[in-house]
């Protein structure tokens, strides 16, 4: 059973083709179409056996052109992985925003696409591209069902006291201004995977999940359901990230505008020029680059890392109290899964919660699941690699009754 997962961005299109038969869900191929709409677009195609190609596409290629190129790669006589596109039984799409009208994965219909379009003001960069990806698939795979899996879905169990902002209530009722949360597919996947890992039912597990990468977010999970999360109306709120500022006094925005910045310039500054990149001053928001610079004595880079860790520690403390204790603290995402020294610094900052790091285990579990806290800790800390693409494929099967 072949399921294609598509994540269409404003200038890219990521894809993964799964064979979902049996217990072991296999990736047949994956890759990305990059720089869509530019003079030099290209397509990267990878197979699990190590084969990889990187080929140019015609200048100004759009999402439909990119998807056609993906299909050509998948069915290529020499290096492809399927003989015919008809082998694809369903397509799952990552969609950023469904607002309050869509709170679970759904099959794409004209009504669903209309809601995605309505939510463009809430996700101006992502929703149009997500919709373009869906419509391109409808044309290239006629009759094949498309399923939308929303980034906000997992967080829709938050109570009003968690998702409302303390501004006049009519801005919520009239303009839907509230906290929605993002990275939901990742938080949902690691919640389910951690429950299995701990031998618990999903409804019995209480967790603090930390998705740490270029984008960072955390979720407070009670009885398997999200009751709070760090991202808000947009993915800008919350933790310090690669290029996003995270939590900020709203008056800073006002002050920046008073200093001559336009609202658009402030938006770009907060989303693309802040976070590790803005504080570290090395022209990169990548944690690996930041750590290398700090190791060479760069004080700004060192400061940026300390700020990054401090924000996470504060959120862990608040979520721990909110949940009344947890079964586990879960690290996932590129940084969470692979940066043992960042995990160590975070663990050092939360010793007041009576949890302690097993340094050997912390060094051992890089990119693979495992407990990194000592046996005498009050609760567990563990690494759990995320797999958003697999979660989308599984959700697609559920919606269509395929498992």
């Amino acid at each position: 059973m072949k399921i294609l997962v598509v994540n269409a961005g404003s200038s890219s299109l990521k894809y993964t083709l799964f064979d979902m038969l049996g217990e072991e869900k296999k990736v047949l191929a994956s890759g990305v179409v990059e720089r869509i709409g530019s003079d030099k677009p290209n397509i990267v195609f990878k197979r699990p056996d190590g084969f990889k190609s990187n080929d140019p596409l015609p200048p100004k290629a759009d999402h439909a052109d990119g998807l056609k190129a993906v299909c050509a790669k998948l069915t290529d006589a020499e290096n492809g992985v399927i003989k015919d596109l008809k082998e694809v039984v369903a397509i799952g799409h990552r969609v950023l925003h469904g607002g309050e009208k869509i709170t679970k994965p759904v099959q794409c219909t004209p009504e669903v696409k209309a809601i995605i379009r309505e939510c463009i003001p809430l996700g101006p960069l992502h929703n149009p591209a997500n919709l373009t990806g869906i419509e391109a698939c409808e044309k290239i795979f006629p009759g094949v069902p498309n399923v939308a899996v929303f980034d906000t879905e997992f967080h829709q169990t938050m109570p009003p006291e968690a998702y409302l902002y303390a501004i006049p209530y009519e801005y919520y009722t009239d303009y839907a201004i509230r906290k929605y949360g993002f990275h939901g597919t990742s938080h949902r996947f690691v919640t389910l995977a951690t429950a299995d890992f701990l031998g618990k039912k999903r409804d019995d597990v209480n967790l603090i999940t930390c998705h740490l990468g270029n984008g960072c977010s955390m979720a407070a999970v009670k009885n398997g359901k999200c009751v709070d999360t760090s991202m808000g109306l947009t993915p800008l709120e919350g933790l310090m990230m690669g290029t996003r500022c995270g939590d900020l006094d709203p008056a800073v925005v006002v002050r920046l505008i008073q200093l001559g910045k336009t609202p658009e310039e402030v938006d770009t500054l907060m989303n693309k020029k802040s976070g590790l990149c803005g504080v570290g001053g090395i022209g990169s928001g990548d944690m690996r680059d930041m750590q290398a610079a700090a190791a060479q004595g760069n004080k700004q880079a060192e400061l940026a890392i300390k700020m990054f860790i401090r924000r996470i520690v504060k959120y862990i403390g608040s979520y721990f109290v909110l949940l009344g204790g947890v079964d586990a603290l879960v690290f996932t995402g590129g940084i969470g899964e692979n940066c043992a020294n960042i995990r160590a610094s975070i663990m050092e900052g939360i010793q007041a919660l009576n949890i302690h790091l097993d340094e050997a285990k912390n060094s051992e579990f890089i990119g693979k699941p495992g407990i990194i806290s000592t046996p005498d800790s009050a609760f567990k800390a563990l690494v759990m690699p995320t797999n958003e693409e697999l979660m989308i494929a599984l959700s697609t099967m559920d919606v269509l009754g395929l498992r």
Side-chain angles (χ1 to χ4, degrees):
M1 183 186 299
K2 313 297 193 307
I3 291 183
L4 178 65
V5 172
V6 173
N7 180 0
S10 57
S11 61
S12 66
L13 189 150
K14 298 178 183 178
Y15 63 94
T16 305
L17 182 65
F18 288 95
D19 186 346
M20 301 298 286
L21 278 179
E23 289 297 318
E24 187 178 353
K25 314 304 182 186
K26 296 180 181 179
V27 172
L28 299 179
S30 64
V32 60
V33 181
E34 301 174 306
R35 294 187 288 275
I36 289 174
S38 74
D39 292 332
K40 294 182 178 181
N42 66 289
I43 178 171
V44 177
F45 175 80
K46 297 182 290 183
R47 295 193 314 241
D49 62 5
F51 176 84
K52 180 179 180 180
S53 64
N54 190 336
D55 300 304
L57 296 178
K60 308 300 182 183
D62 60 17
H63 285 79
D65 297 325
L67 188 60
K68 290 177 183 177
V70 169
C71 293
K73 287 291 185 182
L74 294 174
T75 57
D76 181 74
E78 183 177 355
N79 297 311
V81 293
I82 56 175
K83 293 181 179 180
D84 195 298
L85 293 180
K86 292 180 180 178
E87 293 182 42
V88 177
V89 300
I91 304 169
H93 297 264
R94 181 183 182 184
V95 181
L96 181 79
H97 228 304
E100 291 188 313
K101 291 185 177 180
I102 301 179
T103 59
K104 59 183 179 180
V106 291
Q107 185 170 347
C108 296
T109 63
E111 292 76 18
V112 167
K113 290 192 293 181
I115 292 171
I116 295 172
R117 194 172 286 109
E118 285 176 17
C119 291
I120 285 176
L122 297 174
L125 294 179
H126 296 84
N127 269 39
N130 300 154
L131 191 59
T132 297
I134 292 169
E135 292 178 337
C137 286
E138 288 175 334
K139 292 178 181 178
I140 294 173
F141 296 87
V144 175
N146 289 264
V147 171
V149 180
F150 293 83
D151 242 21
T152 52
E153 175 241 332
F154 182 71
H155 307 300
Q156 295 309 299
T157 51
M158 289 189 293
E161 60 267 29
Y163 66 70
L164 288 176
Y165 291 116
I167 59 176
Y169 193 70
E170 59 264 27
Y171 286 95
Y172 165 61
T173 55
D174 295 349
Y175 303 104
I177 295 177
R178 52 157 285 182
K179 175 180 284 194
Y180 289 97
F182 301 90
H183 289 149
T185 306
S186 176
H187 288 290
R188 183 182 177 204
F189 180 88
V190 298
T191 294
L192 294 172
T194 300
D196 288 342
F197 186 83
L198 297 176
K200 287 178 168 284
K201 295 180 180 178
R202 172 185 169 172
D203 293 344
D204 293 335
V205 73
N206 296 332
L207 306 171
I208 298 172
T209 54
C210 306
H211 179 108
L212 308 177
N214 183 57
C216 299
S217 66
M218 290 173 55
V221 179
K222 189 173 184 65
N223 298 326
K225 296 179 179 179
C226 177
V227 296
D228 209 340
T229 191
S230 59
M231 285 180 168
L233 174 71
T234 74
L236 188 60
E237 186 180 355
L239 303 177
M240 181 177 175
M241 310 178 213
T243 63
R244 298 181 189 132
C245 61
D247 289 340
L248 195 69
D249 181 345
V252 173
V253 177
V254 177
R255 182 60 180 147
L256 289 171
I257 292 174
Q258 290 172 340
L259 291 172
K261 295 286 186 184
T262 66
E264 292 75 18
E265 287 173 335
V266 173
D267 185 69
T268 298
L269 183 151
M270 293 188 299
N271 276 287
K272 298 182 178 180
K273 298 181 179 180
S274 297
L276 291 169
C277 181
V279 176
I282 63 171
S284 170
D286 192 298
M287 180 58 80
R288 293 166 294 188
D289 297 334
M290 205 62 55
Q291 289 181 307
Q296 295 173 0
N298 186 310
K299 296 300 182 184
Q300 268 186 250
E302 185 178 335
L303 173 62
I305 294 171
K306 288 181 178 178
M307 290 173 63
F308 179 87
I309 292 166
R310 184 182 179 89
R311 188 77 59 89
I312 295 166
V313 167
K314 287 171 65 177
Y315 266 90
I316 291 172
S318 65
Y319 283 175
F320 185 87
V321 173
L322 181 69
L323 293 167
V326 296
D327 297 301
L329 168 68
V330 185
F331 292 102
T332 194
I335 296 173
E337 295 170 26
N338 299 297
C339 291
N341 53 352
I342 295 296
R343 295 195 303 245
S345 295
I346 293 169
M347 294 284 286
E348 183 179 355
I350 60 171
Q351 288 187 28
L353 301 180
N354 192 23
I355 185 168
H356 310 288
L357 181 70
D358 183 321
E359 294 183 4
K361 294 295 185 183
N362 188 43
S363 299
E364 176 185 350
F365 292 114
I366 303 296
K368 58 183 179 181
I371 296 170
I372 60 172
S373 53
T374 58
D376 62 344
S377 295
F379 57 99
K380 293 177 173 62
L382 58 89
V383 178
M384 182 56 66
T386 192
N387 193 332
E388 295 174 84
E389 291 77 17
L390 178 58
M391 190 75 258
I392 292 171
L394 291 169
S395 296
T396 297
M397 293 179 69
D398 290 340
V399 169
L400 299 174
L402 297 176
R403 69 169 182 146

